[in-house]
Every structure is written in C-alpha cells, then in structure tokens.
C-alpha cells in the first residue's frame, strides 16, 4: 500500500463532503415545514402555484414597507392581527434595495386589478404586492390564512405564488340593527370577521318599524322615542353620530364601506311614532315591538315628509364617505303604487342632490330610475329585470339563497323560513350571473347577504346564523366561477374549523361539513 502524501487534500475533501451532507440532512430534519395542503383559502384565489419550501415567521422577522403612510397602516393592522394570534410583535422597517428576506409589503404599478394582489412565499421571504394599500390589505388576509390557526412548530407559511383579484366589486353583508339593536362593539366584531374573508361592504339597516337607530340632530325624537324599544319590547338603542362615524372609520381601516339604509316609505313606524306630523292624520302612532311587515307608510303627499327626508339624508351624507345611500322601498303595502312612484322619484333626486347614489330594494323599479341607481334583488325577478331594462344595475341578494336569517334546517332554533331552508350547500351553490334570465355579469354590481334580526337578540345569535354561511358568500363574490366547486369548498370550509374557533365565533356546525377538528399542530410535518 502506497503511503499517503503528507499534504494530500483528498481525504479532507471527502470528510468535508460527508460532513456537509450530514449537516444539511440534519437541518432538513429539524427545520419544521408545512404544505399548502395543510391550509385552506377562502375565498379561493384566482391563481395558486404551489412551491417547495416554508417561511417561518419568528420574533426576528421584519416587516418591510416602502414608506407609503397608508400602507404602513395596513402593515400595522397585519402586525396587530398576527399579535392577536401569536403574541409576537413583528418589527417594521423601510424597504431598501436588495432586501430579500422577511416580509415585504410593496406597492407596484405592475398590478392593475382593483383590490388585486400578488403574493410570493419562499423559504426566506414573503412578498406581497398590489397597486394600492387596499390590495395589500386583501392579500394580508390571505397570508393570515396561510398561517396555522394556532401555533404549531412555529408560525409556518407554505411556499406558494398567488395572483388574485375579485370577480365582483361589491361584496357585502347587511345587518339589521333596527329589529334588535346591536352595540358599536358588536358591529365592529362583525366587521372584523367580514374583513378576514375579503368582504368590502357592510350595509346597516338603520331604521324600521321597530326602531330608529341613527341620531339625526335636526329631528332628535327619532332616537329619543323611535330608538327606545325593539322587537319583544326590550330597551332598544341608537348610535350617536359620533358612534356611527366611529363605525365608519373602523370599517374604512379594513377597506369596508358602510352603506346606511333609511327604509321608506314603508317600514317607518318608529319615525311615525316619533313625529305626528309625518302621519296623514297628524297623529303619532304607537311604538311597535312585533314582527309584522307592511303596515306603515310616510304620508307621501305632505311636503313636511320631503323636508324631513331631506334633513335626514343631508345629515347622513355628511357622516358617510361611501358612495351609496340605501333608501329601502320594500314591502310598502300601505302605500298606493300611484303614491309610491312619485315618492321614490323624489327621494332618488334628494340622494343625487347630495352627491350620492341611491340603492333600493327591488320594488323601487316601479319608479323612474336613473341608470346609475342600484336595485337590490331580493324576491321578485320581474322587478330585477324591469330595473335592468331601465338601465339600472343589480345587487344580488336572492332571499332563497342569500338571506342569512333563513333557518339551516327545519329544527334550527333561530331564524325564519319564509324564503326556504338555506343549508350551507344551498347558500354556496349558486351563481349570481345565471340566477335570473336576462341578468348577467355586466348588469350585476355584486352580491350581498342580508341578516334580518326579528329573531336574533344577541350577537351570538347573529353569528350562529351568519357563520359559516358568510364564508360561502365571500367566495361567491370574490372567486372566479370556474374555480368554485362544492366539494373543494366543503373541504376548505372544514379546515376553517380551528380558525373560527380561534376567533371565538359562535358558528353553526353544519352536518354537511366534515369539520376538521384536530388541532392544527398535527398539520406541521417533520421530514
Ligand atoms: C323581508 S327583504 C323584508 C324584511 C324582513 C325579512 C325577513 C326585505 C327587503 N324585507 O323586512 O325582515 O323579509 O326575512
């Protein structure tokens, strides 16, 4: 055997090679990682490319932004949301050339879709880009869904590339705070949950027979008297203008527009009980705490009625930055059609006079609509079609699919059933663009899921009816129809179990969904 040359490097190379292989394989073993299949995205994004790798958010992770003030606020919200989950407070820094680690939120003109975003997760970076901070906010919700609901072996985000944008510009939910009153904090909680699933509109049904819930300074008895009760005769409540503005601001931070509704000429008993002059006979009505509809009407041929409406809308417009004012118009069974038509025409003009666009329930199509006005389809297809023929746009809220106050099944303890039973599948499995012959995507502004509260007196009741169905409406509004399948949705919804629990939502555990109840810990893999 030939002796080794004293300074031969060969054996060292071999040793080093073995050491490197050993160490990297160890590192692989110890570094926890996760898979995209462990996560569930609702609404499903337009394009998802699975990649290899995992990004881990730790206490050392830095969130970089490119110095835009509004973007910084969105970053701060992400930090707060993450802190709520993980008790870790991420640090921020401004983005500089060459940064290729950490989390990056960046505005980019290369993305041209409203609310759209591009997200890229690799082993060492999460990069989120959008045209504006709103798109970043939507994308940040996706990042939160890419995290486990509870800490696993770390805050692991699977590597992925996502390009996403919404199918409809208007993705709403409605809360009836008139039948039962809900506090500012309840409404904020509703907003939080909506934001997580990319809704962008909250319609507040502020007035009805049973209550007037928004302070109008020039007509103070509306809330003093009209806001004093609710269904069942309990104490009602109302939002002061400051409280309403607080809601508007809170929603705006989550890129949710508040649309206030003053329902008229019917559904007006609370106002009629507050001011005798709004009644044709000059006498105030009694406050009403039952659940019948269709018995009240403003006196449509008194001038004071229009002075009243002008004052109300003027004050409301001053508090409402969003483009729409909802004027109701439904179930005016105590108003003759010949009175209803000129009434709606005048109210429509008042809204335009103050620079806003009116929305009304589908009955308003009887009036002469401007082609920028929006009709909210809820029950009558002919009404919706007639509105489209006038050139108006349609907001889709078909009661038999999208009314979240309908029962899930015949034994649901809460809710109503006049429009049918809406289980989680029925709520999900419909397409707004094919529901009414003659009304397609170009005529539709979007969808909205109304929640009427005749039978719901607590926020837990509201949540029980809204969740999980609201997740389905979120997906109908946001995701491409070609990507929506019940089987896929069902699986993704089942995986939201821990997320809904983690947020303490009192949701209905539908038997149609094979809820994935295991702690999310078991979804992190070591290889
Ligand atoms: C119909 S939908 C109504 C509401 C009720 C609801 C109950 C609509 C425009 N009007 O006044 O609260 O049914 O489901």
């Amino acid at each position: 055997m030939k002796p080794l040359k004293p300074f031969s490097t060969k054996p060292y190379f071999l040793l080093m090679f073995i050491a490197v292989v050993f160490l990297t394989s160890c590192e692989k073993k110890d570094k926890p990682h996760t898979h995209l299949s462990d996560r569930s995205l609702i609404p499903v994004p337009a394009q998802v490319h699975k990649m290899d790798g995992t990004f881990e958010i730790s206490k050392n992770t830095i969130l970089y932004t490119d110095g835009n003030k509004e973007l910084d606020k969105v970053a701060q919200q992400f930090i707060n949301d993450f802190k709520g989950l993980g008790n870790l407070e991420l640090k921020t820094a401004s983005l500089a050339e060459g940064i290729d680690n950490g989390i990056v939120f960046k505005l980019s003109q290369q993305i041209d879709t409203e609310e759209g975003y591009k997200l890229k997760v690799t082993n060492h970076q999460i990069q989120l880009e959008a045209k504006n901070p709103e798109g970043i906010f939507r994308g940040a919700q996706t990042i939160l869904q890419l995290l486990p609901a509870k800490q696993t072996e770390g805050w692991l985000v699977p590597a992925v590339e996502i390009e996403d944008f919404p199918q409809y510009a208007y993705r709403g939910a409605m809360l009836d705070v008139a039948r039962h009153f809900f506090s500012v904090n309840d409404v904020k909680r509703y907003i939080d949950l909506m934001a997580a699933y990319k809704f962008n509109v909250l319609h507040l049904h502020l007035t009805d027979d049973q209550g007037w819930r928004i302070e109008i300074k020039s007509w103070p008895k509306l809330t003093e008297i009209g806001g004093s009760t609710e269904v069942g005769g309990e104490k009602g409540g109302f939002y002061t203008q400051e409280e309403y503005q607080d809601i508007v601001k809170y929603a705006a931070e989550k890129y949710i527009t508040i649309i206030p509704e003053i329902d008229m000429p019917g559904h007006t008993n609370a106002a009629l009980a507050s001011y005798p002059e709004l009644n044709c006979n000059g006498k105030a009505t009694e406050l009403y705490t039952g659940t019948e509809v269709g018995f009240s009407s403003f006196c449509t041929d008194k001038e004071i009625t229009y002075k009243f409406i002008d004052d109300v809308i003027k004050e409301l417009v001053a508090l409402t930055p969003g483009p729409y004012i909802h004027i109701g118009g439904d179930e005016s069974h105590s108003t003759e059609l010949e009175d209803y038509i000129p009434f709606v025409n005048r109210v429509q003009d008042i809204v335009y006079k103050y620079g806003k666009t009116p929305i009304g329930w589908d009955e308003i199509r009887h009036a002469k609509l401007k082609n920028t006005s929006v009709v909210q389809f809820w029950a009558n297809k002919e009404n919706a079609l007639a509105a489209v023929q006038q050139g108006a746009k349609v907001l889709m809220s078909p009661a038999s699919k999208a009314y979240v106050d309908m029962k899930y099944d015949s034994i649901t303890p809460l809710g109503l059933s006049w429009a049918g039973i809406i289980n989680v599948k029925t709520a999900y499995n419909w397409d707004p663009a094919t529901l009414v012959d003659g009304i397609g995507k170009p005529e539709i502004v979007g969808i909205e899921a109304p929640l009427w509260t005749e039978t719901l007196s607590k926020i837990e009741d509201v949540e029980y009816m809204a969740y999980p169905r609201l997740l389905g409406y979120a997906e109908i509004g946001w995701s491409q129809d070609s990507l929506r399948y019940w089987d896929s949705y069902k699986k993704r919804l089942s995986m939201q179990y821990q997320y809904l629990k983690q947020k303490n939502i009192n949701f209905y555990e539908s038997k149609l969904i094979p809820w994935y109840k295991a702690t999310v810990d078991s979804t992190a893999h070591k290889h």
Side-chain angles (χ1 to χ4, degrees), residues 174-176 179 190 291 293 331 361 378 397-409 412-423 427 448-456 461-467 469-470 473:
M174 187 207 85
L175 188 59
D176 169 10
R179 268 54 176 273
Y190 210 62
T291 59
V293 297
E331 298 173 319
W361 298 104
W378 65 281
S397 298
S400 61
K401 308 279 182 197
Y403 265 31
V404 235
D405 60 319
M406 294 300 122
K407 291 175 184 289
Y408 289 98
D409 61 28
T412 306
L414 302 165
L416 305 173
S417 55
W418 68 264
I421 294 289
I422 305 183
N423 67 34
E448 184 179 288
L451 183 43
W452 303 98
T453 58
E454 286 96 328
T455 65
L456 315 172
D461 299 345
V462 163
E463 285 177 12
Y464 185 80
M465 298 309 279
Y467 288 91
R469 287 183 288 200
L470 238 49
Y473 304 121

Side-chain angles (χ1 to χ4, degrees), residues 157-396:
V157 184
V160 68
E161 267 189 273
I162 291 176
E163 275 191 56
D164 202 10
F165 57 91
Q167 127 161 283
Y168 290 107
Y170 183 127
R171 305 176 307 281
M174 187 207 85
L175 188 59
D176 169 10
V177 295
R179 268 54 176 273
H180 280 101
F181 180 66
F182 294 92
S183 70
V184 171
N185 280 342
D186 288 344
V187 175
K188 286 184 176 174
R189 185 168 155 83
Y190 210 62
I191 289 170
D192 287 343
L193 303 181
M194 287 172 63
Y197 296 100
K198 301 188 174 72
F199 281 99
N200 64 357
V201 172
L202 173 61
H203 163 186
L204 288 175
H205 183 75
L206 289 170
T207 68
D208 212 303
D209 290 319
Q210 299 86 346
W212 186 284
R213 309 297 180 203
I214 176 74
E215 176 190 28
I216 300 295
K217 295 200 196 262
S218 54
W219 295 78
K221 287 187 198 156
L222 288 170
T223 44
E224 202 178 294
I225 297 173
S228 62
T229 55
E230 60 179 17
V231 166
E234 302 287 303
K235 187 175 163 297
F238 65 91
Y239 309 120
T240 62
Q241 295 202 348
E242 292 67 31
E243 286 170 331
Y244 173 80
Q245 280 180 298
D246 183 31
I247 293 174
V248 167
K249 184 166 163 272
Y250 187 84
E253 281 165 7
K254 292 169 189 282
Y255 296 91
I256 290 179
T257 301
I258 298 292
I259 298 186
E261 176 183 354
I262 304 295
D263 202 351
M264 54 195 155
H267 289 279
T268 43
N269 188 71
L272 295 168
S274 308
Y275 287 100
E277 58 267 47
L278 299 177
N279 295 272
C280 285
N281 66 3
K283 286 199 191 111
T285 58
E286 296 285 307
L287 287 168
Y288 181 69
T289 58
T291 59
E292 295 296 309
V293 297
F295 59 88
S296 57
S297 180
F298 279 153
C299 192
T300 56
D301 41 41
K302 269 187 164 179
E303 248 342 269
I304 185 76
T305 299
Y306 301 96
K307 162 86 175 90
F308 167 81
I309 294 168
D310 195 292
D311 287 344
V312 168
I313 291 187
K314 181 168 62 189
E315 287 195 34
L316 204 53
V317 164
L319 307 169
T320 306
Y324 294 112
I325 299 289
H326 202 302
I327 59 173
D330 58 314
E331 298 173 319
S332 297
H333 307 320
S334 310
T335 321
E336 295 298 327
L337 191 58
E338 66 193 75
D339 297 329
Y340 178 88
I341 292 171
F343 175 86
V344 173
N345 285 340
R346 273 187 84 169
V347 175
Q348 178 180 237
D349 287 345
I350 294 172
V351 173
Y352 279 113
K353 182 177 89 180
Y354 287 112
K356 299 290 182 187
T357 302
I359 305 189
W361 298 104
D362 60 42
E363 293 95 320
I364 67 161
R365 70 86 175 181
H366 289 289
K368 193 162 176 359
L369 299 180
K370 297 235 158 59
N371 62 11
T372 43
S373 297
V374 174
V375 161
Q376 185 165 11
F377 166 62
W378 65 281
N380 188 313
K381 292 187 178 177
E382 286 74 48
N383 281 349
L385 260 178
V388 164
Q389 277 149 14
Q390 291 197 53
K393 294 273 183 281
V394 177
L395 173 61
M396 283 289 180

